Amino acid sequence: MATGSNNDDGVLGEDAIVQGYLARLADNPSAMGLRDDCAELRPGPGQAFILKTDPIRAGVHFLPTDAPGDIAWKALAVNVSDLAAKAARPVAYLLSLSFPEPPRAEWLEAFASGLAAAQDAFGMSLIGGDTDRAPGPLSMAVTAIGEMPMGKMVPRTAARPGDILLVSGMLGDAALGLAVNQNGQAAQKLSLSPSDAEFCRQRYLRPQPRIGARAALRAYACAAMDISDGLIKDAARMMDASGCQGIINVADVPLSPAFRRVLDQDGAQVRAAIAHGDDYELLVAVAPDDVEAFRSLAAAGGVMMTQIGSCKAGAGLTTIGFDGGLMDLGKTGYDHFGET
């Protein structure tokens, strides 16, 4: 990270940002206290690094009014979710921050605290990056680094006909949480109780990467990816990459009690559970004979896995509705460039 000095008006300069707030997160010796332009990581014998970069931007991935700690958590979590899908152990990360105006100490303190909580939860630390000032909304990019045995990364490209499709956790809460976060009247409109509304809001603001599934994925998964743009869109991506057809049974998609209470009010909400982004759960393909062992080992790591479909010869993705017929979804997921 490059460094600079404080401004005369008390606004923090680059040196104060880096050494005053970010260097405390850099407890990996490879970071050298963030006093160099590069870091050095050395994997152990027979190990490989798995790398992921995902930026987030105000107005797209979070609201400008969101708490700095929540923004920080999400910036790291969305990248760690991809490492979790590959069965990699999070090790370290690089962080680039682009501010539209010089940040204030209170904002940075809360942001650094959110990062500290996230990296402690995920078992990693900051080793470098950059800061700058640029027109436009606040944005940041994390490059997450994971470690795993050479050649053991779980791809998205190896699902096979006959494999069973499973998903971690529960889907749809983040869709409701975004609605609540955007509009204070949304909870009432959706008939969400205050506790259900806050539960969904936290699911949106602070996604939980499923790093506890690592042993199960390494032992049994044929293919895996995280669900960032919606179950249906991401499942279709896995099927396309693997060269087979997927069948998703909507009735089997795991939903939280909070979401089910909304579903009781409005059946159309099911589309939010399967075609909305921000879940950051795992979609996994497992051979039929391995499903129970996979689920058991994932549960031992604190991750619930639910069977939601299967793969067969062919192409594309078929979605089966509650009535057993084909389900027309309209929009199938989030796309930065407007396609659905």
Side-chain angles (χ1 to χ4, degrees), residues 286-334:
V286 178
D289 291 345
D290 293 333
V291 168
E292 289 310 311
F294 170 73
R295 294 184 66 191
S296 178
L297 190 53
V303 181
M304 177 186 75
M305 300 295 308
T306 301
Q307 181 174 330
I308 60 167
S310 60
C311 303
K312 68 177 187 178
L317 185 74
T318 299
T319 306
I320 306 299
F322 291 103
D323 61 358
L326 296 180
M327 187 173 186
D328 182 13
L329 291 171
K331 183 176 181 179
T332 60
Y334 181 77

Side-chain angles (χ1 to χ4, degrees), residues 248-273:
I248 299 291
N249 298 305
V250 174
D252 295 331
V253 171
L255 305 173
S256 71
F259 194 97
R260 287 190 181 279
R261 283 188 279 273
V262 171
L263 192 64
D264 291 341
Q265 300 291 328
D266 182 2
Q269 285 293 338
V270 71
R271 287 170 173 77

